[in-house]
Amino acid sequence: MTDSDPVIVNVALGSRAYDIVIGRDVLASLGARVAALRPGTRAAIVTDRNVAKHWLELAEASLAQAGIATSRIIVEEGEGSKSYAGLEKVSEALIAAKIERNDLVIALGGGVVGDLAGFAAAILRRGVDFVQVPTSLLAQVDSSVGGKTGINSPQGKNLLGAFHQPMLVIADTAALDTLSPRQFRAGYAEVAKYGVLGDEAFFAWLEANHAEIFKGGTAREYAIATSCRAKAAIVARDERETGDRALLNLGHTFGHALEAATGFSDRLFHGEGVSVGMVLAAQFSASLGMIPQSDAARVERHLAAVGLPTHLRDIAGFAQEGLADADALMTLMAQDKKVRRGRLTFILLEAVGRAVIARDVEGALVRNFLKAELLGK
Ligand SMILES: NC(=O)c1ccc[n+]([C@@H]2O[C@H](COP(=O)([O-])OP(=O)(O)OC[C@H]3O[C@@H](n4cnc5c(N)ncnc54)[C@H](O)[C@@H]3O)[C@@H](O)[C@H]2O)c1
Ligand SMILES: [Zn+2]
């Protein structure tokens, strides 16, 4: 393999199978790849203002060169666009652009744009195909893989949505060069998650190579491809999350509660919440005797080494609001949509590299663990 050969990961979903093309500068091949799959198509590119500044012209030029006519729909950056108002804006613009059943929606951006444009594609004329061009690390390793699309309700995140698989994913690792270092780090938490939940050898590789991933180069491609392969394998087994797909929620039950406690604000990015959540899940597993304390410490050490928050006290404004209060965090966890009839489902560890789904975890155990955690800090 030379530096310029993209890595292709296939998501094996029968008639809905598709390729994820990963590599530096693969965005330039977007037009040719789309034209090969869908000759004569037209496309609307949905993106946000930040991404448009850096990558829209390149995407448009590639599509134009392949003879694909495009229109552009630019939303404001940030989670606020994943809303009824954002959906209305994108849907109306798609209709105005005359995107029809055989045309395409192209999502160029992070997870916000991918979820929003994917959902708009799922409901436009009862479903048009879409292509994901993820430009954040989180989107490249997580949100662009697996077909979950949707928007937020004022009552909670991701409460409205549809499963709608893309027909192609183009992950250009060079796009990450314009991402802020903090956003890159937050996305890295999801990369580490794949190691912790199912692949000890990958975790060990990350421990040794994380600096190279941040710098760019082939280590970055390898990390992204390995992450996509891990998610694709789980999604192929359980597309609609009736079983194993829940393993991907490692760190997320705690993490979502922390995001909610900080008002889903810039104080804590999603991946940062996942980082703290993963450490809590590992510590909780250790407190239940499922793994040695040294394994929990290993997970924490790696996340701290890349500069991610690993403790509740690392979160801005920790002492205020609900963050230092075990009962308030319990209430937030009970609102998580993964809760069934009041019993908590946690993803716990049997080893670094082996996560298990623990259903019906007693609330009192979690509360006591959090209280002890908070006392220790
Ligand atoms: N569908 C799924 O399976 C799934 C999985 C995980 C997360 N998500 C969703 O993904 C969203 C979070 O995704 P995210 O972290 O990518 O957030 P995001 O889309 O808001 O991107 C983060 C920020 O980085 C900017 N950005 C993105 N790419 C850039 C680039 N190449 N250069 C410069 N700036 C760039 C964006 O404009 C934004 O300001 C959440 O809404 C979450 O619910 C979905
Ligand atoms: Zn996540």
Side-chain angles (χ1 to χ4, degrees):
M1 194 184 87
T2 68
D3 272 10
S4 55
D5 278 342
V7 181
I8 296 185
V9 175
N10 184 259
V11 185
L13 287 170
S15 61
R16 293 183 307 289
Y18 56 92
D19 282 341
I20 306 169
V21 181
I22 302 156
R24 189 161 271 276
D25 303 324
V26 288
L27 182 55
S29 71
L30 172 67
R33 291 178 193 276
V34 167
L37 284 176
R38 186 62 68 80
T41 192
R42 295 180 316 133
I45 304 175
V46 182
T47 189
D48 75 20
R49 287 188 306 197
N50 284 338
V51 178
K53 260 185 274 175
H54 300 290
W55 302 103
L56 180 57
E57 279 172 21
L58 192 59
E60 285 175 338
S62 166
L63 289 156
Q65 210 170 23
I68 298 166
T70 59
S71 46
R72 39 161 84 175
I73 300 169
I74 301 176
V75 299
E76 276 175 42
E77 63 279 6
E79 192 71 27
S81 285
K82 249 180 76 175
S83 60
Y84 285 111
L87 180 66
E88 180 177 354
K89 177 178 165 165
V90 171
S91 300
E92 291 303 321
L94 288 171
I95 295 166
K98 303 203 163 38
I99 295 300
E100 297 178 354
R101 282 300 284 273
N102 288 320
D103 298 329
L104 281 180
V105 175
I106 299 178
L108 172 71
V112 163
V113 164
D115 282 13
L116 171 65
F119 188 40
I123 59 175
L124 178 69
R125 301 175 195 272
R126 301 200 176 81
V128 303
D129 284 332
F130 87 117
V131 171
Q132 290 263 25
V133 185
T135 61
S136 70
L137 180 56
L138 183 131
Q140 294 193 350
V141 300
D142 191 355
S143 61
S144 68
V145 186
K148 283 189 185 178
T149 72
I151 59 169
N152 304 321
S153 148
Q155 299 183 64
K157 269 200 62 153
N158 298 328
L159 289 179
L160 299 139
F163 284 97
H164 189 48
Q165 300 292 345
M167 62 184 289
L168 173 69
V169 181
I170 301 285
D172 187 338
T173 56
L176 307 181
D177 292 345
T178 57
L179 194 63
S180 79
R182 186 179 166 201
Q183 290 284 6
F184 190 97
R185 253 196 323 273
Y188 183 87
E190 304 278 5
V191 174
K193 181 187 78 176
Y194 294 112
V196 178
L197 77 84
D199 189 344
E200 193 275 337
F202 181 50
F203 189 75
W205 182 84
L206 291 172
E207 288 175 310
N209 294 285
H210 60 85
E212 293 305 314
I213 298 167
F214 280 76
K215 271 191 225 151
T218 51
R220 181 181 288 178
E221 266 98 84
Y222 177 77
I224 292 170
T226 305
S227 300
C228 287
R229 241 176 242 122
K231 182 160 182 184
I234 291 176
V235 168
R237 285 207 297 275
D238 178 21
E239 187 178 3
R240 291 191 168 240
E241 196 165 330
T242 52
D244 269 10
R245 189 164 177 169
L247 291 171
L248 298 171
N249 295 326
L250 173 65
H252 282 61
T253 306
F254 286 120
H256 282 154
L258 300 175
E259 282 183 272
T262 46
F264 296 99
S265 67
D266 282 358
R267 281 169 53 201
L268 188 72
F269 290 166
H270 173 76
E272 295 170 339
V274 170
S275 175
V276 176
M278 253 192 304
V279 173
L280 288 172
Q283 298 283 8
F284 186 41
S285 306
S287 80
L288 297 173
M290 295 173 64
I291 55 169
Q293 188 60 45
S294 57
D295 278 357
R298 182 181 172 198
V299 172
E300 177 185 337
R301 197 160 51 235
H302 178 56
L303 295 169
V306 304
L308 279 162
T310 52
H311 287 283
L312 294 166
R313 61 159 185 266
D314 298 338
I315 302 169
F318 157 73
Q320 303 113 38
E321 296 156 51
L323 281 173
D325 177 346
D327 291 316
L329 289 175
M330 289 300 296
T331 305
L332 289 170
M333 276 192 269
Q335 283 159 6
D336 196 281
K337 71 172 184 261
K338 269 108 197 163
V339 173
R340 286 195 211 180
R341 286 178 225 95
R343 307 286 269 175
L344 294 157
T345 297
F346 274 95
I347 312 306
L348 298 176
L349 297 182
E350 288 182 344
V352 173
R354 200 164 71 245
V356 287
I357 304 169
R359 299 193 198 280
D360 290 344
V361 175
E362 244 183 86
L365 277 176
V366 186
R367 181 180 284 108
N368 289 341
F369 162 74
L370 282 174
K371 286 211 157 112
E373 269 293 301
L374 288 162
L375 278 179
K377 314 297 169 210

